[in-house]
Amino acid sequence: MINVKSKACNGNIVSISLKGHSGYSEAGSDVVCSAVTAISCSIGDGILNVLKVKANCIADEGRILISLENNSLDDIEECQVLMKTLLLGLRNIESNYGDYIKVFEEEV
């Protein structure tokens, strides 16, 4: 199961963390894992390389983190279209593969 945790502060998404493996299929042919990884890494790359925001982006085995928590409010706001797009994409994957991915949202 992939667990996604989105944290928002004053309506702005400040971090999205993903942990686990979907278990949908064996490694190398797991479409759920592939979709989640592709969309998450693409959004992280967009924040770092297109917007040039120095976010904390980590992609390890079974873990992805995109965090804006140590950034200025201007940087956080600049990244909202991408962060909201990521959350929407993950929610769409959850709607089709809910046995393999769960998305939780938290306002802090």
Side-chain angles (χ1 to χ4, degrees):
M1 171 75 65
I2 297 171
N3 289 299
V4 177
K5 183 177 177 185
S6 168
K7 286 195 329 187
C9 182
N10 297 320
N12 289 314
I13 300 172
V14 294
S15 74
I16 297 178
S17 65
L18 303 91
K19 292 183 182 175
H21 294 281
S22 73
Y24 178 79
S25 183
E26 59 187 66
S29 62
D30 190 324
V31 296
V32 175
C33 183
S34 294
V36 167
T37 300
I39 190 172
S40 300
C41 289
S42 293
I43 294 296
D45 284 343
I47 289 170
L48 294 171
N49 299 310
V50 176
L51 295 178
K52 305 291 187 199
V53 172
K54 294 184 190 271
N56 183 17
C57 295
I58 300 168
D60 288 329
E61 178 64 30
R63 176 177 173 240
I64 296 174
L65 171 68
I66 300 172
S67 177
L68 304 167
E69 292 179 287
N70 295 321
N71 289 78
S72 69
L73 181 57
D74 286 343
D75 283 348
I76 291 169
E77 288 176 345
E78 185 175 11
C79 295
Q80 287 310 291
V81 168
L82 290 177
M83 295 294 277
K84 289 177 181 180
T85 299
L86 175 54
L87 186 58
L88 177 64
L90 294 169
R91 282 264 180 226
N92 286 337
I93 295 168
E94 179 188 40
S95 72
N96 291 301
Y97 298 95
D99 291 339
Y100 306 96
I101 179 173
K102 293 293 180 207
V103 178
F104 304 94
E105 295 180 57
E106 174 184 21
E107 177 78 26
V108 293

